[in-house]
C-alpha cells in the first residue's frame, strides 16, 4: 500500500509557513494517541529540519502537511481528530469569542494567524449555516486531512461550550476540492 500524497489542489506553496502551535499541537495529539506514533512523527519532521518545535516559532508548512497526509492511513481518523482537538486548544481566541457561533466565524482569522507566506486560497472557510446546536462549515481546498479538521472544529465548539457538550462532526466532499463539515452539539 502506498502512502497517500497531498492532493495537488490542496498543496501548500514552497514558501508557506505554519505557526509552531500547530506543529506542537499535532505532536501532542500524536503523543496522546501513541508514543510510537509520536516518535515516528518526530523522526519524520526531524529529517526536514523540524526538531523540538516550540509554539512561538514558524516552520515550513509543506513538510508538516506531507507528514500529516502520509500518516493519515497509518494512524487512523480518530488519532488525527484528537490531534486537531489538541491543536485548537493552543489557539488564542479573542475574549469576545464565547459561543459556538462566534468561534466558527473566527476560523478564517485563526487560520490566517497560523499560516503565512502561502498566497493561495487554501484558507477559505465558509459558514453558510449556523443555528443553536448545528452548523455547516465549507472549506475550499483545505490543506490538511479532513479528520484533522473534524477534530479542530469539534474542539473549537467544545472549547467555548459549557464543558458538558457533545459535538458531532460529519464530513463530506460535495464537489472536488471542497470539504463540508456538518456539526451538531447539545
Amino acid at each position: 500500500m502506498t502512502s497517500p500524497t497531498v492532493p495537488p489542489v490542496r498543496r501548500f506553496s514552497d514558501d508557506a509557513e505554519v505557526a509552531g502551535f500547530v506543529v506542537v499541537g499535532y505532536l501532542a495529539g500524536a503523543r496522546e494517541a501513541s508514543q510510537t506514533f509520536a516518535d515516528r512523527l518526530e523522526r519524520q519532521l526531524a529529517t526536514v529540519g523540524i526538531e523540538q518545535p516550540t509554539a512561538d516559532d514558524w516552520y515550513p508548512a509543506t513538510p508538516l502537511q506531507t507528514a500529516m497526509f502520509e500518516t493519515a492511513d497509518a494512524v487512523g481518523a480518530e488519532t488525527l481528530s484528537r490531534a486537531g482537538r489538541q491543536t485548537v486548544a493552543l489557539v488564542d481566541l479573542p475574549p469576545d469569542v464565547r459561543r459556538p457561533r462566534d468561534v466558527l466565524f473566527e476560523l478564517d482569522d485563526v487560520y490566517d494567524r497560523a499560516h503565512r507566506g502561502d498566497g493561495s486560497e487554501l484558507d477559505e472557510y465558509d459558514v453558510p449555516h449556523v443555528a443553536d446546536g448545528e452548523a455547516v462549515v465549507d472549506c475550499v481546498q483545505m490543506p490538511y486531512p479532513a479528520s484533522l479538521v473534524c477534530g479542530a472544529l469539534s474542539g473549537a465548539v467544545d472549547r467555548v461550550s459549557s464543558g458538558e457538550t457533545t459535538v458531532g462532526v460529519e464530513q463530506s466532499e460535495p464537489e472536488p476540492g471542497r470539504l463540508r463539515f456538518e456539526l451538531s452539539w447539545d
Side-chain angles (χ1 to χ4, degrees):
M1 172 190 256
T2 60
S3 296
T5 58
V6 179
V9 71
R10 294 168 64 187
R11 190 169 295 147
F12 280 119
S13 68
D14 290 339
D15 61 342
E17 292 182 304
V18 63
F21 73 81
V22 174
V23 180
V24 170
Y26 187 59
L27 284 167
R31 280 187 205 95
E32 183 181 303
S34 159
Q35 189 59 46
T36 301
F37 168 51
D39 292 344
R40 173 183 167 184
L41 181 59
E42 285 175 341
R43 283 191 306 274
Q44 188 175 14
L45 292 175
T47 64
V48 294
I50 301 176
E51 297 183 67
Q52 298 180 347
T54 62
D56 296 328
D57 285 332
W58 288 89
Y59 301 93
T62 304
L64 178 66
Q65 181 187 44
T66 300
M68 288 181 176
F69 275 91
E70 286 178 350
T71 59
D73 278 348
V75 301
E78 181 57 35
T79 300
L80 285 180
S81 181
R82 281 195 306 252
R85 290 179 69 81
Q86 185 66 34
T87 301
V88 82
L90 299 173
V91 172
D92 289 327
L93 294 174
D96 61 337
V97 174
R98 296 185 195 123
R99 301 175 305 161
R101 170 185 298 277
D102 302 334
V103 78
L104 292 173
F105 284 113
E106 186 70 16
L107 292 175
D108 270 334
D109 289 339
V110 168
Y111 184 92
D112 289 344
R113 289 192 306 266
H115 299 84
R116 68 182 185 191
D118 187 29
S120 74
E121 297 300 317
L122 294 178
D123 63 348
E124 288 185 29
Y125 285 90
D126 183 28
V127 185
H129 171 75
V130 64
D132 288 339
E134 63 184 36
V136 173
V137 177
D138 287 334
C139 300
V140 177
Q141 301 171 343
M142 175 50 62
Y144 297 113
S147 53
L148 186 81
V149 180
C150 284
L153 291 170
S154 174
V157 169
D158 191 49
R159 185 171 164 187
V160 296
S161 296
S162 66
E164 296 179 16
T165 302
T166 301
V167 182
V169 182
E170 295 292 326
Q171 181 262 320
S172 63
E173 187 173 350
E175 58 188 69
R178 186 182 236 5
L179 297 175
R180 171 166 286 164
F181 301 91
E182 296 180 20
L183 288 80
S184 60
W185 61 91
D186 55 23

